[in-house]
mmCIF file of all heavy atoms in Angstrom:
data_model
loop_
_atom_site.group_PDB
_atom_site.id
_atom_site.type_symbol
_atom_site.label_atom_id
_atom_site.label_comp_id
_atom_site.label_asym_id
_atom_site.label_seq_id
_atom_site.Cartn_x
_atom_site.Cartn_y
_atom_site.Cartn_z
ATOM 1 N N GLY A 88 -17.399 -68.088 100.767
ATOM 2 C CA GLY A 88 -17.009 -69.461 101.184
ATOM 3 C C GLY A 88 -16.082 -69.464 102.285
ATOM 4 O O GLY A 88 -15.409 -70.564 102.721
ATOM 5 N N LYS A 89 -15.774 -68.412 102.841
ATOM 6 C CA LYS A 89 -14.793 -68.270 104.008
ATOM 7 C C LYS A 89 -15.508 -68.037 105.300
ATOM 8 O O LYS A 89 -16.649 -67.391 105.292
ATOM 9 C CB LYS A 89 -13.749 -67.165 103.831
ATOM 10 C CG LYS A 89 -12.772 -67.361 102.689
ATOM 11 C CD LYS A 89 -11.846 -66.332 102.523
ATOM 12 C CE LYS A 89 -11.039 -66.537 101.117
ATOM 13 N NZ LYS A 89 -10.470 -65.193 100.749
ATOM 14 N N VAL A 90 -14.993 -68.371 106.452
ATOM 15 C CA VAL A 90 -15.713 -68.206 107.691
ATOM 16 C C VAL A 90 -14.727 -67.406 108.762
ATOM 17 O O VAL A 90 -13.502 -67.810 108.868
ATOM 18 C CB VAL A 90 -16.065 -69.531 108.428
ATOM 19 C CG1 VAL A 90 -16.579 -69.361 109.697
ATOM 20 C CG2 VAL A 90 -16.920 -70.319 107.460
ATOM 21 N N TRP A 91 -15.252 -66.412 109.350
ATOM 22 C CA TRP A 91 -14.535 -65.783 110.408
ATOM 23 C C TRP A 91 -15.294 -66.042 111.825
ATOM 24 O O TRP A 91 -16.429 -65.833 111.875
ATOM 25 C CB TRP A 91 -14.608 -64.212 110.033
ATOM 26 C CG TRP A 91 -13.723 -63.849 109.065
ATOM 27 C CD1 TRP A 91 -12.413 -63.161 109.218
ATOM 28 C CD2 TRP A 91 -13.980 -63.840 107.691
ATOM 29 N NE1 TRP A 91 -11.961 -62.853 107.841
ATOM 30 C CE2 TRP A 91 -12.813 -63.226 106.985
ATOM 31 C CE3 TRP A 91 -15.017 -64.275 106.867
ATOM 32 C CZ2 TRP A 91 -12.691 -63.176 105.553
ATOM 33 C CZ3 TRP A 91 -14.923 -64.196 105.481
ATOM 34 C CH2 TRP A 91 -13.760 -63.765 104.861
ATOM 35 N N ASP A 92 -14.538 -66.559 112.660
ATOM 36 C CA ASP A 92 -15.064 -66.834 114.008
ATOM 37 C C ASP A 92 -14.878 -65.738 114.936
ATOM 38 O O ASP A 92 -13.812 -65.187 114.954
ATOM 39 C CB ASP A 92 -14.365 -68.116 114.551
ATOM 40 C CG ASP A 92 -14.668 -69.385 113.870
ATOM 41 O OD1 ASP A 92 -15.748 -69.742 113.670
ATOM 42 O OD2 ASP A 92 -13.621 -70.021 113.298
ATOM 43 N N LEU A 93 -15.932 -65.284 115.572
ATOM 44 C CA LEU A 93 -15.855 -64.183 116.476
ATOM 45 C C LEU A 93 -16.856 -64.351 117.697
ATOM 46 O O LEU A 93 -17.540 -65.417 117.717
ATOM 47 C CB LEU A 93 -16.093 -62.784 115.762
ATOM 48 C CG LEU A 93 -17.498 -62.530 115.235
ATOM 49 C CD1 LEU A 93 -17.591 -61.061 115.021
ATOM 50 C CD2 LEU A 93 -17.770 -63.254 113.932
ATOM 51 N N LEU A 94 -16.977 -63.412 118.491
ATOM 52 C CA LEU A 94 -17.842 -63.441 119.599
ATOM 53 C C LEU A 94 -19.034 -62.487 119.239
ATOM 54 O O LEU A 94 -18.778 -61.298 118.715
ATOM 55 C CB LEU A 94 -17.198 -63.128 120.908
ATOM 56 C CG LEU A 94 -16.437 -64.021 121.640
ATOM 57 C CD1 LEU A 94 -15.708 -63.486 122.913
ATOM 58 C CD2 LEU A 94 -17.280 -65.340 121.919
ATOM 59 N N TYR A 95 -20.246 -62.943 119.517
ATOM 60 C CA TYR A 95 -21.392 -61.963 119.573
ATOM 61 C C TYR A 95 -21.445 -61.629 121.048
ATOM 62 O O TYR A 95 -21.572 -62.445 121.912
ATOM 63 C CB TYR A 95 -22.608 -62.751 119.159
ATOM 64 C CG TYR A 95 -23.859 -62.159 119.447
ATOM 65 C CD1 TYR A 95 -24.379 -60.937 118.765
ATOM 66 C CD2 TYR A 95 -24.715 -62.602 120.488
ATOM 67 C CE1 TYR A 95 -25.586 -60.354 119.069
ATOM 68 C CE2 TYR A 95 -25.809 -62.018 120.853
ATOM 69 C CZ TYR A 95 -26.331 -60.908 120.153
ATOM 70 O OH TYR A 95 -27.451 -60.234 120.462
ATOM 71 N N LEU A 96 -21.613 -60.396 121.188
ATOM 72 C CA LEU A 96 -21.766 -59.676 122.540
ATOM 73 C C LEU A 96 -23.070 -59.296 122.735
ATOM 74 O O LEU A 96 -23.618 -58.314 122.138
ATOM 75 C CB LEU A 96 -20.813 -58.580 122.766
ATOM 76 C CG LEU A 96 -19.390 -58.823 122.427
ATOM 77 C CD1 LEU A 96 -18.535 -57.584 122.435
ATOM 78 C CD2 LEU A 96 -18.684 -59.964 123.330
ATOM 79 N N GLY A 97 -23.899 -60.247 123.474
ATOM 80 C CA GLY A 97 -25.404 -60.019 123.748
ATOM 81 C C GLY A 97 -25.664 -58.524 124.230
ATOM 82 O O GLY A 97 -24.850 -57.722 124.183
ATOM 83 N N ASP A 98 -26.784 -58.461 124.920
ATOM 84 C CA ASP A 98 -27.365 -57.196 125.292
ATOM 85 C C ASP A 98 -26.174 -56.523 126.211
ATOM 86 O O ASP A 98 -25.847 -56.835 127.221
ATOM 87 C CB ASP A 98 -28.523 -57.324 126.291
ATOM 88 C CG ASP A 98 -29.145 -56.121 126.638
ATOM 89 O OD1 ASP A 98 -28.782 -55.044 126.281
ATOM 90 O OD2 ASP A 98 -30.259 -56.140 127.102
ATOM 91 N N GLN A 99 -25.711 -55.244 125.684
ATOM 92 C CA GLN A 99 -24.762 -54.511 126.286
ATOM 93 C C GLN A 99 -25.403 -53.282 127.009
ATOM 94 O O GLN A 99 -24.705 -52.319 127.262
ATOM 95 C CB GLN A 99 -23.815 -53.971 125.172
ATOM 96 C CG GLN A 99 -23.028 -54.969 124.409
ATOM 97 C CD GLN A 99 -22.130 -55.794 125.344
ATOM 98 O OE1 GLN A 99 -21.058 -55.330 125.916
ATOM 99 N NE2 GLN A 99 -22.326 -56.985 125.496
ATOM 100 N N GLY A 100 -26.687 -53.328 127.296
ATOM 101 C CA GLY A 100 -27.461 -52.248 127.931
ATOM 102 C C GLY A 100 -28.215 -51.500 126.907
ATOM 103 O O GLY A 100 -27.809 -51.368 125.697
ATOM 104 N N ALA A 101 -29.319 -51.174 127.228
ATOM 105 C CA ALA A 101 -30.226 -50.343 126.301
ATOM 106 C C ALA A 101 -30.612 -51.118 125.057
ATOM 107 O O ALA A 101 -30.773 -50.507 124.056
ATOM 108 C CB ALA A 101 -29.645 -48.921 126.145
ATOM 109 N N GLY A 102 -30.532 -52.527 125.196
ATOM 110 C CA GLY A 102 -30.886 -53.344 123.984
ATOM 111 C C GLY A 102 -29.764 -53.354 122.957
ATOM 112 O O GLY A 102 -30.124 -53.620 121.806
ATOM 113 N N ARG A 103 -28.617 -52.913 123.284
ATOM 114 C CA ARG A 103 -27.521 -52.806 122.363
ATOM 115 C C ARG A 103 -26.699 -54.114 122.169
ATOM 116 O O ARG A 103 -26.314 -54.626 123.367
ATOM 117 C CB ARG A 103 -26.559 -51.738 122.488
ATOM 118 C CG ARG A 103 -27.331 -50.359 122.374
ATOM 119 C CD ARG A 103 -26.290 -49.194 122.634
ATOM 120 N NE ARG A 103 -27.041 -47.993 122.668
ATOM 121 C CZ ARG A 103 -26.538 -46.928 122.394
ATOM 122 N NH1 ARG A 103 -25.411 -46.872 122.082
ATOM 123 N NH2 ARG A 103 -27.360 -45.844 122.376
ATOM 124 N N CYS A 104 -26.512 -54.653 121.089
ATOM 125 C CA CYS A 104 -25.711 -55.862 120.921
ATOM 126 C C CYS A 104 -24.711 -55.635 119.826
ATOM 127 O O CYS A 104 -24.882 -54.669 119.037
ATOM 128 C CB CYS A 104 -26.742 -57.093 120.457
ATOM 129 S SG CYS A 104 -27.992 -57.470 121.553
ATOM 130 N N LYS A 105 -23.606 -56.285 119.873
ATOM 131 C CA LYS A 105 -22.517 -56.034 118.727
ATOM 132 C C LYS A 105 -21.766 -57.156 118.545
ATOM 133 O O LYS A 105 -21.819 -58.153 119.259
ATOM 134 C CB LYS A 105 -21.681 -54.781 119.216
ATOM 135 C CG LYS A 105 -20.975 -55.046 120.460
ATOM 136 C CD LYS A 105 -20.279 -53.706 120.818
ATOM 137 C CE LYS A 105 -19.489 -54.014 122.183
ATOM 138 N NZ LYS A 105 -18.736 -52.829 122.578
ATOM 139 N N LEU A 106 -20.959 -57.105 117.552
ATOM 140 C CA LEU A 106 -19.988 -58.182 117.195
ATOM 141 C C LEU A 106 -18.684 -57.748 117.845
ATOM 142 O O LEU A 106 -18.236 -56.561 117.816
ATOM 143 C CB LEU A 106 -19.862 -58.328 115.680
ATOM 144 C CG LEU A 106 -21.069 -58.842 114.969
ATOM 145 C CD1 LEU A 106 -20.812 -58.915 113.388
ATOM 146 C CD2 LEU A 106 -21.562 -60.176 115.539
ATOM 147 N N GLU A 107 -17.877 -58.749 118.160
ATOM 148 C CA GLU A 107 -16.459 -58.575 118.897
ATOM 149 C C GLU A 107 -15.679 -57.875 117.853
ATOM 150 O O GLU A 107 -15.544 -58.054 116.677
ATOM 151 C CB GLU A 107 -16.054 -59.815 119.243
ATOM 152 C CG GLU A 107 -14.545 -59.970 119.702
ATOM 153 C CD GLU A 107 -13.745 -60.378 118.573
ATOM 154 O OE1 GLU A 107 -14.073 -61.347 117.756
ATOM 155 O OE2 GLU A 107 -12.609 -59.834 118.272
ATOM 156 N N LYS A 108 -15.021 -56.791 118.262
ATOM 157 C CA LYS A 108 -14.250 -55.846 117.527
ATOM 158 C C LYS A 108 -12.989 -56.475 116.738
ATOM 159 O O LYS A 108 -12.897 -56.143 115.537
ATOM 160 C CB LYS A 108 -13.658 -54.646 118.484
ATOM 161 C CG LYS A 108 -12.785 -53.685 117.910
ATOM 162 C CD LYS A 108 -12.531 -52.699 118.999
ATOM 163 C CE LYS A 108 -11.438 -51.742 118.607
ATOM 164 N NZ LYS A 108 -11.374 -50.607 119.527
ATOM 165 N N ARG A 109 -12.211 -57.203 117.393
ATOM 166 C CA ARG A 109 -11.020 -57.682 116.745
ATOM 167 C C ARG A 109 -11.252 -58.499 115.473
ATOM 168 O O ARG A 109 -10.697 -58.210 114.509
ATOM 169 C CB ARG A 109 -10.136 -58.592 117.767
ATOM 170 C CG ARG A 109 -8.736 -58.882 117.277
ATOM 171 C CD ARG A 109 -7.954 -59.706 118.266
ATOM 172 N NE ARG A 109 -8.683 -60.905 118.461
ATOM 173 C CZ ARG A 109 -8.967 -61.404 119.743
ATOM 174 N NH1 ARG A 109 -8.410 -60.815 120.741
ATOM 175 N NH2 ARG A 109 -9.678 -62.518 120.009
ATOM 176 N N THR A 110 -12.098 -59.426 115.518
ATOM 177 C CA THR A 110 -12.414 -60.339 114.260
ATOM 178 C C THR A 110 -13.253 -59.565 113.319
ATOM 179 O O THR A 110 -13.022 -59.666 112.146
ATOM 180 C CB THR A 110 -12.991 -61.670 114.697
ATOM 181 O OG1 THR A 110 -12.330 -62.191 115.707
ATOM 182 C CG2 THR A 110 -13.069 -62.526 113.481
ATOM 183 N N TRP A 111 -14.166 -58.529 113.714
ATOM 184 C CA TRP A 111 -14.875 -57.801 112.815
ATOM 185 C C TRP A 111 -13.877 -56.958 112.018
ATOM 186 O O TRP A 111 -13.861 -56.832 110.843
ATOM 187 C CB TRP A 111 -15.876 -56.874 113.516
ATOM 188 C CG TRP A 111 -16.313 -55.807 112.599
ATOM 189 C CD1 TRP A 111 -16.016 -54.425 112.717
ATOM 190 C CD2 TRP A 111 -17.076 -55.944 111.421
ATOM 191 N NE1 TRP A 111 -16.587 -53.706 111.684
ATOM 192 C CE2 TRP A 111 -17.168 -54.561 110.884
ATOM 193 C CE3 TRP A 111 -17.614 -56.926 110.667
ATOM 194 C CZ2 TRP A 111 -17.886 -54.319 109.671
ATOM 195 C CZ3 TRP A 111 -18.362 -56.670 109.480
ATOM 196 C CH2 TRP A 111 -18.394 -55.451 108.997
ATOM 197 N N ALA A 112 -12.827 -56.506 112.704
ATOM 198 C CA ALA A 112 -11.735 -55.644 111.975
ATOM 199 C C ALA A 112 -11.098 -56.448 111.013
ATOM 200 O O ALA A 112 -10.761 -56.120 109.882
ATOM 201 C CB ALA A 112 -10.664 -55.063 113.135
ATOM 202 N N LYS A 113 -10.712 -57.656 111.406
ATOM 203 C CA LYS A 113 -10.122 -58.516 110.463
ATOM 204 C C LYS A 113 -10.992 -58.851 109.199
ATOM 205 O O LYS A 113 -10.490 -58.860 108.100
ATOM 206 C CB LYS A 113 -9.731 -60.019 111.172
ATOM 207 C CG LYS A 113 -9.024 -60.931 110.213
ATOM 208 C CD LYS A 113 -8.212 -61.867 110.984
ATOM 209 C CE LYS A 113 -7.461 -62.932 110.050
ATOM 210 N NZ LYS A 113 -6.895 -62.422 108.775
ATOM 211 N N PHE A 114 -12.227 -59.158 109.393
ATOM 212 C CA PHE A 114 -13.118 -59.279 108.310
ATOM 213 C C PHE A 114 -13.030 -58.220 107.398
ATOM 214 O O PHE A 114 -13.090 -58.242 106.106
ATOM 215 C CB PHE A 114 -14.421 -59.613 108.796
ATOM 216 C CG PHE A 114 -15.589 -59.688 107.727
ATOM 217 C CD1 PHE A 114 -15.855 -60.984 107.038
ATOM 218 C CD2 PHE A 114 -16.426 -58.578 107.336
ATOM 219 C CE1 PHE A 114 -16.782 -60.987 106.009
ATOM 220 C CE2 PHE A 114 -17.378 -58.668 106.380
ATOM 221 C CZ PHE A 114 -17.471 -59.874 105.747
ATOM 222 N N ALA A 115 -13.294 -56.879 108.072
ATOM 223 C CA ALA A 115 -13.388 -55.746 107.234
ATOM 224 C C ALA A 115 -12.021 -55.432 106.355
ATOM 225 O O ALA A 115 -12.046 -55.183 105.290
ATOM 226 C CB ALA A 115 -13.481 -54.497 108.175
ATOM 227 N N THR A 116 -10.873 -55.721 107.078
ATOM 228 C CA THR A 116 -9.563 -55.544 106.233
ATOM 229 C C THR A 116 -9.377 -56.652 105.268
ATOM 230 O O THR A 116 -8.885 -56.264 104.250
ATOM 231 C CB THR A 116 -8.392 -55.343 107.218
ATOM 232 O OG1 THR A 116 -8.370 -56.379 108.136
ATOM 233 C CG2 THR A 116 -8.526 -54.049 108.101
ATOM 234 N N ASP A 117 -9.734 -57.984 105.655
ATOM 235 C CA ASP A 117 -9.567 -58.997 104.731
ATOM 236 C C ASP A 117 -10.172 -58.758 103.476
ATOM 237 O O ASP A 117 -9.787 -59.128 102.329
ATOM 238 C CB ASP A 117 -9.960 -60.363 105.292
ATOM 239 C CG ASP A 117 -8.964 -60.899 106.320
ATOM 240 O OD1 ASP A 117 -7.904 -60.287 106.562
ATOM 241 O OD2 ASP A 117 -9.413 -61.965 107.030
ATOM 242 N N ASN A 118 -11.460 -58.158 103.487
ATOM 243 C CA ASN A 118 -12.228 -57.870 102.389
ATOM 244 C C ASN A 118 -12.245 -56.453 101.878
ATOM 245 O O ASN A 118 -13.038 -56.138 100.993
ATOM 246 C CB ASN A 118 -13.621 -58.328 102.775
ATOM 247 C CG ASN A 118 -13.776 -59.731 103.094
ATOM 248 O OD1 ASN A 118 -13.711 -60.557 102.033
ATOM 249 N ND2 ASN A 118 -13.988 -60.289 104.236
ATOM 250 N N LYS A 119 -11.368 -55.767 102.279
ATOM 251 C CA LYS A 119 -11.060 -54.357 101.815
ATOM 252 C C LYS A 119 -12.302 -53.441 101.816
ATOM 253 O O LYS A 119 -12.622 -52.838 100.851
ATOM 254 C CB LYS A 119 -10.337 -54.425 100.387
ATOM 255 C CG LYS A 119 -9.041 -55.119 100.430
ATOM 256 C CD LYS A 119 -8.433 -55.156 99.069
ATOM 257 C CE LYS A 119 -7.126 -55.838 99.076
ATOM 258 N NZ LYS A 119 -7.102 -57.142 99.448
ATOM 259 N N LEU A 120 -13.022 -53.632 102.988
ATOM 260 C CA LEU A 120 -14.237 -52.745 103.038
ATOM 261 C C LEU A 120 -13.950 -51.319 103.262
ATOM 262 O O LEU A 120 -12.865 -50.994 103.916
ATOM 263 C CB LEU A 120 -15.131 -53.348 104.175
ATOM 264 C CG LEU A 120 -15.592 -54.653 104.257
ATOM 265 C CD1 LEU A 120 -16.513 -55.099 105.374
ATOM 266 C CD2 LEU A 120 -16.308 -55.026 102.893
ATOM 267 N N ASN A 121 -14.729 -50.409 102.691
ATOM 268 C CA ASN A 121 -14.595 -49.045 102.658
ATOM 269 C C ASN A 121 -15.753 -48.403 103.155
ATOM 270 O O ASN A 121 -16.950 -48.902 103.171
ATOM 271 C CB ASN A 121 -14.189 -48.543 101.186
ATOM 272 C CG ASN A 121 -12.837 -49.071 100.800
ATOM 273 O OD1 ASN A 121 -11.843 -48.892 101.379
ATOM 274 N ND2 ASN A 121 -12.816 -49.703 99.665
ATOM 275 N N VAL A 122 -15.679 -47.140 103.540
ATOM 276 C CA VAL A 122 -16.862 -46.256 103.886
ATOM 277 C C VAL A 122 -17.670 -46.205 102.631
ATOM 278 O O VAL A 122 -17.319 -46.068 101.470
ATOM 279 C CB VAL A 122 -16.346 -44.918 104.173
ATOM 280 C CG1 VAL A 122 -17.484 -43.832 104.388
ATOM 281 C CG2 VAL A 122 -15.546 -44.883 105.518
ATOM 282 N N ARG A 123 -19.022 -46.329 102.887
ATOM 283 C CA ARG A 123 -19.978 -46.355 101.942
ATOM 284 C C ARG A 123 -20.193 -47.698 101.184
ATOM 285 O O ARG A 123 -21.171 -47.876 100.322
ATOM 286 C CB ARG A 123 -19.983 -45.231 100.894
ATOM 287 C CG ARG A 123 -20.113 -43.868 101.582
ATOM 288 C CD ARG A 123 -19.991 -42.631 100.652
ATOM 289 N NE ARG A 123 -21.089 -42.697 99.651
ATOM 290 C CZ ARG A 123 -22.230 -42.152 99.843
ATOM 291 N NH1 ARG A 123 -22.559 -41.366 100.900
ATOM 292 N NH2 ARG A 123 -23.140 -42.035 98.883
ATOM 293 N N ASP A 124 -19.425 -48.602 101.478
ATOM 294 C CA ASP A 124 -19.782 -50.000 101.129
ATOM 295 C C ASP A 124 -20.999 -50.565 101.935
ATOM 296 O O ASP A 124 -21.175 -50.049 103.081
ATOM 297 C CB ASP A 124 -18.619 -51.078 101.310
ATOM 298 C CG ASP A 124 -17.457 -50.877 100.241
ATOM 299 O OD1 ASP A 124 -17.681 -50.231 99.293
ATOM 300 O OD2 ASP A 124 -16.538 -51.469 100.630
ATOM 301 N N ALA A 125 -21.703 -51.440 101.453
ATOM 302 C CA ALA A 125 -22.982 -51.851 102.308
ATOM 303 C C ALA A 125 -22.827 -53.410 102.544
ATOM 304 O O ALA A 125 -22.222 -54.261 101.615
ATOM 305 C CB ALA A 125 -24.171 -51.622 101.445
#
């Protein structure tokens, strides 16, 4: 029920796309994500 606003970074070369790092980090820490969570 919560929303995190961030930037989607389109084609970064070689067909690579990603989510902007700063807000992805906030999402991960806000939700206490750990290695091996899916």
Side-chain angles (χ1 to χ4, degrees):
K89 297 177 187 164
V90 177
W91 286 260
D92 293 301
L93 69 162
L94 284 176
Y95 160 78
L96 306 173
D98 191 351
Q99 302 291 299
R103 293 178 189 210
C104 303
K105 61 184 178 179
L106 298 177
E107 170 258 319
K108 173 179 173 169
R109 185 181 60 228
T110 307
W111 164 250
K113 180 158 178 41
F114 175 81
T116 54
D117 285 354
N118 293 291
K119 299 177 177 65
L120 298 182
N121 295 304
V122 170
R123 296 182 63 89
D124 289 344

